[in-house]
Every structure is written in structure tokens, then in C-alpha cells.
Amino acid sequence: MKNSLLLILSSLIFLSSCDKKKSESLKIKQTEDNKTECLPRLYDDPKLEKEKVLIYAEEYDSLLFSKNELNKIEKLFPVLKAKFPSDPKQASSIKLWENYIDQNGKEESITFSSEAGEDEFCLLYAYYLKQKNGEEKFKKERETLIQLYRAINGLYQGLSYGGTYFGHQHKRLNACVEYSIYQLATRKEYFEKDYDFRKQKELYIKTIIQYVKDEESQNGDYQQDLKSNIKRANEREEALQEKITILEKLITNYFYLSQVQNFEITYYR
């Protein structure tokens, strides 16, 4: 009798355990189904697969997408075509990974979450904002800003004796350029000052020169070159001075000055 009761009790415990596992499995499946149901459905158009779009910054900074791929990116990352754009740093922090369901019912993803991926995101950001700004309308300002931002990036790269950060920044700075132009297009009156901006420029250039001098005084490699390889030390000094000369030459109004200062503070200080 005792054994029979134990057997019945064990059976009840077993059945209860099975029911619990089934219930938990059902809940997990329902959660997964609900998650999948929330994902957007994106379907390819066969006619657009062979249609290619070149996202171009320069020879070594370009991407090639099919129109299908680009359509998906536009739908999954609306920040790229926002009516009121965020600056590149903020835009890339919103989201760099998104899942979707394709025409076969399969879950897929588009991601820009790696360092190289963020480079691509910034190239896309620049591509769309350039369209919004107008390619021809601000051509001169765009070319000038690119040179200025590259000079800042190159200056800090030289002070640091290189580094991958500056290579990624080189690819991303076109996004910063387009955001600067967007600000000029929408807030032009802010940059039209009645006073002479040149004293501010002079102080800024002096600050840059002093910063380079102070940093080099702490740079062991540079100090060693001064002692043992004066030719290399002189070449290094000339390369840094070349970047400063670009800043002196191309900062010709308050707009360029304010944008260069902001770019430097945001990404290098």
C-alpha cells in the first residue's frame, strides 16, 4: 500500500513537472513569435537588384549598394533621412543594428556596429545629407571644410604618431562636413557677424601652435629624434606646420572658425 502511494505521488510530481516545462516552452515560443511579429517585413524587388548606387566620398572611401539594399537601410535607419538631422556622433549612437523579416520569412539583420560599420554609416549619413543640402549650392564650402577637417585630423594623427582612430576619422569626417553645411543652410544669419572675427582666429591659431609645442616637449620619440635624427625631427615639424598653415589660409570667416573649433573639441580634445 505504501509503495502504491509513493508511485502515485511520483507520477503526479512527474506530470506536474512536464506540464510546467510545456508551459515554459510555450511562453518562450510565444515571446519569440511576438518578437518576430514586431519586426518589419522588407521584400526585395527583382527589378531593383541590378540597379546599383555608389556612395562616394573619395577613391578609397566609397560603397556600392543595390537599390534593394539601400531601400532597406532607409526604412530601418530613418535617422539617415531625418527632417531635422542630428549631428553624426548623436545619429550613430541612436542605433547601428536592426533586424527584419525578408520575403522568405527569414529573420535577417543590417548592422553598422563595428568600427568599419560605423565608417559606412557615416558615409551613408554624408550621402543623404549632401542631397538635402544641395551638392552644387555649397560646393566651395564643402571643399574648404574637408581640407580644414583633414588638417585637424592630420595634426592630431602626427602628434600621436599615427593610430587607427585617425584612419576611421578620415572616413567619417565627410559626415561632419555635411552637418556643418546643414547648419549654414538653416542658420546662415548666426554666422554673419558684424565684428571682425580675425582676432578670434589669431588667438585660435596661437592656441594650436602652443598646444603642438607643449605636446612635442613631452613626446619622447620627438625628443630622441632631436638628439639622434635631426632630419626626421625637422620633417616631422614641417608636416605639423603644414597642417597649421592650411588652417591659417582657409579659415576666412567666422563660419569656418566656429566649425573647426567645434570639430576639434568634439573629436580630439
Side-chain angles (χ1 to χ4, degrees):
M1 183 68 178
K2 186 177 179 181
N3 289 337
S4 298
L5 287 172
L6 287 172
L7 183 60
I8 292 170
L9 183 60
S10 298
S11 298
L12 289 172
I13 292 171
F14 175 75
L15 290 171
S16 175
S17 176
C18 287
D19 288 341
K20 185 178 180 182
K21 287 180 180 178
K22 285 180 182 178
S23 176
E24 289 174 350
S25 297
L26 184 61
K27 285 180 181 178
I28 292 171
K29 187 176 186 307
Q30 286 175 338
T31 301
E32 290 175 347
D33 288 344
N34 289 339
K35 182 183 175 183
T36 303
E37 293 231 346
C38 292
L39 295 177
R41 263 67 175 169
L42 302 180
Y43 306 127
D44 289 336
D45 183 343
K47 296 177 183 177
L48 298 179
E49 192 55 38
K50 291 183 179 180
E51 189 177 335
K52 304 296 181 181
V53 178
L54 180 66
I55 310 299
Y56 181 83
E58 61 176 327
E59 185 179 357
Y60 300 107
D61 292 331
S62 59
L63 303 169
L64 190 64
F65 291 99
S66 73
K67 198 66 172 66
N68 275 326
E69 291 175 300
L70 215 53
N71 286 343
K72 290 174 187 173
I73 289 170
E74 289 175 9
K75 290 174 182 175
L76 295 175
F77 300 91
V79 68
L80 291 169
K81 297 185 73 175
K83 184 177 181 180
F84 302 105
S86 305
D87 68 77
K89 197 170 187 179
Q90 184 179 355
S92 63
S93 69
I94 293 173
K95 62 173 180 178
L96 292 174
W97 183 304
E98 192 63 84
N99 295 340
Y100 67 95
I101 304 298
D102 68 11
Q103 61 266 22
N104 300 315
K106 184 180 177 183
E107 185 174 343
E108 298 286 357
S109 65
I110 294 177
T111 176
F112 301 102
S113 58
S114 66
E115 288 288 351
E118 194 165 338
D119 295 346
E120 292 185 1
F121 179 89
C122 285
L123 285 173
L124 283 163
Y125 174 101
Y127 169 78
Y128 286 111
L129 192 49
K130 187 177 184 180
Q131 291 179 338
K132 186 181 183 74
N133 290 331
E135 184 168 355
E136 291 302 319
K137 186 177 181 181
F138 296 100
K139 186 175 182 180
K140 179 181 179 297
E141 289 84 355
R142 181 176 291 110
E143 291 172 352
T144 300
L145 285 169
I146 287 173
Q147 292 183 69
L148 286 168
Y149 290 0
R150 285 181 179 174
I152 290 291
N153 189 57
L155 184 68
Y156 279 86
Q157 183 177 28
L159 289 173
S160 301
Y161 276 78
T164 57
Y165 175 82
F166 306 100
H168 288 296
Q169 271 302 106
H170 181 85
K171 293 175 181 290
R172 298 172 190 177
L173 62 80
N174 283 73
C176 301
V177 166
E178 290 305 325
Y179 187 70
S180 290
I181 291 174
Y182 169 72
Q183 291 184 84
L184 178 63
T186 56
R187 301 172 60 210
K188 186 177 180 181
E189 67 283 355
Y190 174 78
F191 302 107
E192 294 174 342
K193 301 297 184 182
D194 292 330
Y195 57 73
D196 188 345
F197 85 100
R198 286 176 294 183
K199 286 194 177 295
Q200 290 186 47
K201 172 187 171 179
E202 184 182 343
L203 287 171
Y204 176 65
I205 297 298
K206 283 182 178 178
T207 300
I208 289 284
I209 292 171
Q210 187 62 51
Y211 178 76
V212 170
K213 183 179 178 181
D214 291 344
E215 286 295 300
E216 291 291 74
S217 71
Q218 300 294 308
N219 193 318
D221 291 330
Y222 176 63
Q223 296 303 317
Q224 183 60 37
D225 283 346
L226 284 175
K227 295 175 183 177
S228 60
N229 195 334
I230 192 66
K231 181 176 181 293
R232 186 162 61 186
N234 287 338
E235 287 174 351
R236 173 179 171 76
E237 187 176 339
E238 287 172 8
L240 293 173
Q241 181 56 49
E242 181 185 345
K243 305 297 187 295
I244 296 172
T245 300
I246 291 172
L247 298 176
E248 288 179 307
K249 180 182 177 182
L250 296 183
I251 296 177
T252 56
N253 57 41
Y254 179 77
F255 168 69
Y256 292 136
L257 175 62
S258 64
Q259 296 309 296
V260 167
Q261 288 175 315
N262 182 67
F263 178 71
E264 182 195 0
I265 290 169
T266 301
Y267 294 100
Y268 303 93
R269 290 294 184 108

